């Protein structure tokens, strides 16, 4: 009985050891790597399957696209053949452009037949508006002509004045008047400058010295009110009360007496 027990124990130990040897042999055996030829074949199959899927997607997309007529295709060819930017020289001679300027608008600004008036804003609240105003003023400064700058951010009366002249409640800035005639905004001035029309229009205006800056206001066109010193209040000795100063605007400023006359 003892011998049979030993035999069974030995058989069990032999089975366990053979199992572990077999598992170690399975895990220790390196996995065979595919050859370069097999790898190239698998890549080729993947690429062919990708191209077939791509072709099916394109075919499916064409089902939802409306077919273009021959007229649409001809229009597309004509648009592609046109230049992206139209040269100002193709607009015709400068004389014809000047004629268009004279007939451009019937809007007049009374009392400004001898000057250039620009309604603008010096505030940077709206970037595009400020950049347009700045660009227009730089163009005029390049010609060194004196400009009657009417900054609506410094005096709200100029906004009301512009609205009455144009008949628009929300007029875009800047707005330019030359010799009392309404020219337009920034785009109109830039176009006139590019074609040379602006230089002809400004002939006859007095030219300032290079680097001239008004000593009184520093080219701001406004100074503190001399009557109330910018406080907007004056003392009425007869009645013994403070009253609103009538010589300045809502900011306590008045037009520069040296450069704005």
């Amino acid at each position: 009985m003892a011998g049979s027990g030993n035999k069974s124990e030995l058989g069990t130990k032999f089975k366990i050891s053979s199992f572990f040897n077999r598992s170690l042999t399975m895990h220790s055996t390196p996995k065979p790597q595919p050859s370069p030829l097999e790898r190239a074949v698998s890549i080729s199959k993947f690429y062919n399957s990708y191209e077939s899927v791509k072709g099916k997607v394109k075919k499916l997309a064409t089902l939802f696209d409306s077919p273009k007529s021959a007229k649409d295709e001809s229009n597309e060819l004509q648009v592609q053949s046109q230049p992206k930017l139209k040269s100002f020289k193709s607009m015709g001679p400068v004389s014809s452009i000047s004629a268009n300027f004279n007939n451009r608008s019937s809007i007049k600004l009374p009392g400004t037949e001898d000057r250039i008036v620009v309604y603008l804003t010096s505030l940077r609240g709206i970037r595009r508006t400020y950049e347009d105003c700045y660009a227009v003023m730089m163009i005029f400064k390049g010609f060194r002509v004196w400009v009657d700058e009417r900054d609506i951010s410094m005096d709200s009366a100029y906004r009301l004045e512009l609205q009455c002249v144009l008949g628009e409640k929300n007029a875009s800035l800047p707005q330019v008047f030359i010799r009392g005639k309404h020219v337009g905004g920034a785009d109109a001035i830039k176009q006139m400058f590019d074609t040379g029309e602006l230089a002809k229009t400004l002939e006859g205006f007095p030219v300032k010295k290079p680097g001239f800056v008004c000593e009184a206001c520093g080219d701001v066109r406004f100074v503190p009110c001399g009557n109330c010193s910018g406080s907007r209040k004056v003392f009425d000795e007869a009645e013994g009360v403070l009253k609103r100063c009538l010589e300045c605007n809502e900011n306590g400023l008045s037009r520069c007496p040296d450069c704005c006359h």
Side-chain angles (χ1 to χ4, degrees), residues 96-141:
S96 63
I97 300 176
S98 300
N100 293 333
F101 163 68
N102 294 329
N103 299 325
R104 183 174 297 166
S105 175
S106 59
I107 300 175
K108 301 292 182 64
L109 185 62
T112 61
E113 290 77 11
D114 60 341
R115 65 185 64 188
I116 305 164
V117 179
V118 179
Y119 290 89
L120 56 97
T121 179
S122 58
L123 293 180
R124 305 191 182 190
I126 302 177
R127 181 176 178 181
R128 175 64 184 276
T129 300
Y130 173 78
E131 290 178 349
D132 288 342
C133 295
Y134 181 81
V136 168
M137 290 309 303
M138 286 298 102
I139 290 175
F140 283 117
K141 285 184 178 181

Side-chain angles (χ1 to χ4, degrees), residues 2 12 21 45 63 66 73 88 147 169 172 177 193 204 208 225 239 242-243 246:
T12 304
N21 292 334
K45 289 181 179 180
L63 296 176
S66 58
E73 294 179 356
F88 286 112
V147 177
K169 187 176 181 180
S172 61
F177 293 81
F193 175 72
K208 297 185 295 185
C225 178
E239 300 181 6
L242 290 174
K243 290 186 176 182
L246 301 178

Side-chain angles (χ1 to χ4, degrees), residues 107 159-160 162-172 175 182:
I107 300 175
R159 178 184 291 276
L160 298 176
L162 180 62
Q163 291 175 355
C164 292
V165 172
L166 297 181
E168 299 178 10
K169 187 176 181 180
N170 297 318
S172 61
Q175 293 295 330
H182 180 230

Side-chain angles (χ1 to χ4, degrees), residues 25-100:
T25 304
M26 291 173 62
H27 288 285
S28 61
T29 304
K31 186 177 180 180
Q33 297 294 329
S35 63
L37 181 60
E38 293 175 348
R39 211 163 30 238
V41 171
S42 62
I43 293 173
S44 177
K45 289 181 179 180
F46 173 77
Y47 179 77
N48 292 335
S49 62
Y50 169 76
E51 289 294 329
S52 62
V53 172
K54 185 178 179 182
K56 291 179 180 179
V57 171
K58 287 184 176 180
K59 186 176 180 181
L60 182 62
T62 56
L63 296 176
F64 296 95
D65 293 338
S66 58
K68 294 183 179 180
S69 62
K71 184 178 180 180
D72 295 336
E73 294 179 356
S74 61
N75 291 336
E76 289 183 359
L77 292 175
Q78 290 178 2
V79 171
Q80 293 176 1
S81 62
Q82 292 177 355
K84 293 183 179 180
L85 296 177
K86 186 177 180 181
S87 174
F88 286 112
K89 295 181 180 179
S90 62
M91 297 172 62
V94 177
S95 58
S96 63
I97 300 176
S98 300
N100 293 333

Side-chain angles (χ1 to χ4, degrees), residues 197-209:
E197 178 189 0
L198 185 61
K200 291 183 175 294
T201 305
L202 298 180
E203 291 179 355
F205 282 102
V207 179
K208 297 185 295 185
K209 295 180 180 180

Side-chain angles (χ1 to χ4, degrees), residues 146 208 211-223 256-260:
W146 182 80
K208 297 185 295 185
F212 172 81
V213 178
C214 179
E215 296 180 358
C217 67
D219 283 351
V220 180
R221 310 306 179 208
F222 288 91
V223 294
C256 178
D258 292 353
C259 63
C260 299

